[in-house]
Amino acid sequence: MSRSLHTDPYPMRASRRAGAPVPVRVCPPRRGFVHPADPAAIVEVLTFFGPTAAYGLRGIELRQQPAAGTGPAVAALRVPGLVLLFEQPAPPWDLFGRLTDVATARLRRAGARVVTSQAGTRVDWPGNSLRDFMLFDGLMHEIGHHVIQHAARKHRTRAMRTADHERRADAYAVRARHAWAAQW
């Protein structure tokens, strides 16, 4: 019956079933780290994108970085419906070695200034660019994953192969960034 004539499209179902606001929980960042996007900014973005973005979300948590050895993380989705946004080092970032071209392009697209030297890479975040990076390349990217999973009603298994999942979540985040920028 899931593909029957009388099944509501996802946006219509989300609007009809919109409930309480998504709770945002905060774990204080460690010394030398920050949560670039505060709960008010997260609520503002979720309100702007409406029920379709928040439908099925159980919560958003601002957490400390995962255990050492897993590498730096921006955000993660814990199915079903929990988005984790991780603390980030206070800017500017001084990184060892060179970033890949893809990583450099992604940071520059988010508004970062990336300077590479022989000693390493320096990433500076002017204005609200780090906050926006967390909101769109972190939060909205993971909400893109959530929407894919939730719309397919897949709570324990992936709805599609990883490469396709990432490509669609990236596209969702890019569309969200453009929609947000268009309002100003």
Side-chain angles (χ1 to χ4, degrees):
M1 292 298 291
S2 68
R3 302 212 188 274
S4 71
L5 177 64
H6 301 289
T7 301
D8 290 339
Y10 188 81
M12 188 180 288
R13 194 168 61 239
S15 295
R16 190 179 66 243
R17 295 180 182 174
V22 177
V24 180
R25 291 179 282 285
V26 180
C27 174
R30 296 173 293 166
R31 193 164 147 197
F33 288 80
V34 296
H35 287 304
D38 63 352
I42 292 167
V43 169
E44 181 182 11
V45 167
L46 288 178
T47 302
F48 176 79
F49 289 107
T52 305
Y55 180 40
L57 281 179
R58 294 181 181 191
I60 297 171
E61 294 184 6
L62 303 177
R63 286 195 180 172
Q64 295 178 356
Q65 281 284 339
T70 59
V74 175
L77 174 67
R78 296 288 181 259
V79 176
L82 178 62
V83 175
L84 308 175
L85 295 176
F86 298 111
E87 66 186 4
Q88 299 301 308
W93 298 349
D94 290 316
L95 308 172
F96 296 106
R98 299 176 64 90
L99 296 174
T100 65
D101 292 339
V102 172
T104 301
R106 186 176 197 162
L107 292 175
R108 286 188 173 142
R109 181 185 72 199
R113 285 190 294 236
V114 181
V115 178
T116 304
S117 68
Q118 294 212 340
T121 304
R122 185 177 184 95
V123 181
D124 194 22
W125 295 96
N128 289 328
S129 57
L130 181 55
R131 182 199 66 163
D132 292 347
F133 175 71
M134 290 301 294
L135 289 174
F136 296 101
D137 291 87
L139 176 66
M140 295 310 290
H141 177 89
E142 297 307 325
I143 287 178
H145 284 301
H146 167 75
V147 168
I148 293 166
Q149 290 294 119
H150 198 254
R153 297 186 173 145
K154 300 283 187 174
H155 300 293
R156 299 286 176 231
T157 59
R158 281 199 169 264
M160 59 188 63
R161 65 189 191 132
T162 303
D164 293 335
H165 225 292
E166 287 299 325
R167 190 178 70 253
R168 286 194 181 177
D170 279 340
Y172 186 91
V174 168
R175 284 192 311 272
R177 183 184 288 278
H178 290 307
W180 181 261
Q183 76 171 331
W184 309 110

